[in-house]
Amino acid sequence: MPLYYSRPQITALKKRLKAFIERENNVEVLLQYESLMCPQTDQKNDEACLADMEKDFEYLKGAPMPCCFTEKELDEVIRKSEKSGWVDDDEIKAFEERWINVG
């Protein structure tokens, strides 16, 4: 292993790592990556934080949703969301195929 990496080598390595992570769909594998790359992340603290939040918002269980839409209003919200750039699974797969095949 070289003792020195040039800026282009480091940039290429980062791109390969990002691409590899982007292709990964297994949550367990991603959590393992996170534990290797972010050792300061303490999962116990995350779980404790979530437990505290559940306790803090316990009173909301069974409460109605704060916003209700008519069918027409919901259709409009969905239309705006789709227009904002969200894509469906087929579009994502097509993009991934193009991305993977880029030289």
Side-chain angles (χ1 to χ4, degrees):
M1 182 186 314
L3 296 175
Y4 173 78
Y5 287 93
S6 68
R7 178 58 51 195
Q9 289 172 314
I10 293 170
T11 301
L13 177 60
K14 287 180 181 180
K15 284 182 180 179
R16 285 194 310 272
L17 288 170
K18 286 177 187 177
F20 189 76
I21 290 169
E22 287 297 320
R23 286 191 304 267
E24 185 59 60
N25 292 321
N26 185 325
V27 175
E28 293 299 320
V29 172
L30 290 170
L31 289 171
Q32 290 175 4
Y33 293 161
E34 180 189 36
S35 69
L36 289 171
M37 294 173 16
C38 310
Q40 70 277 10
T41 301
D42 186 356
Q43 196 172 17
K44 290 179 184 173
N45 286 342
D46 291 345
E47 290 171 6
C49 180
L50 287 174
D52 287 343
M53 286 175 62
E54 284 180 358
K55 193 166 122 183
D56 290 343
F57 295 104
E58 179 76 27
Y59 70 93
L60 291 174
K61 281 189 178 176
M65 291 296 288
C67 186
C68 295
F69 294 105
T70 65
E71 193 68 31
K72 186 176 180 179
E73 291 169 331
L74 182 58
D75 288 343
E76 181 63 15
V77 169
I78 292 169
R79 186 190 65 74
K80 286 180 180 177
S81 175
E82 289 172 345
K83 189 176 180 182
S84 73
W86 289 99
V87 295
D88 64 19
D89 289 338
D90 291 335
E91 290 173 295
I92 292 171
K93 287 176 186 172
F95 176 81
E96 286 176 345
E97 286 298 318
R98 286 193 310 267
W99 180 258
I100 289 169
N101 294 322
V102 170

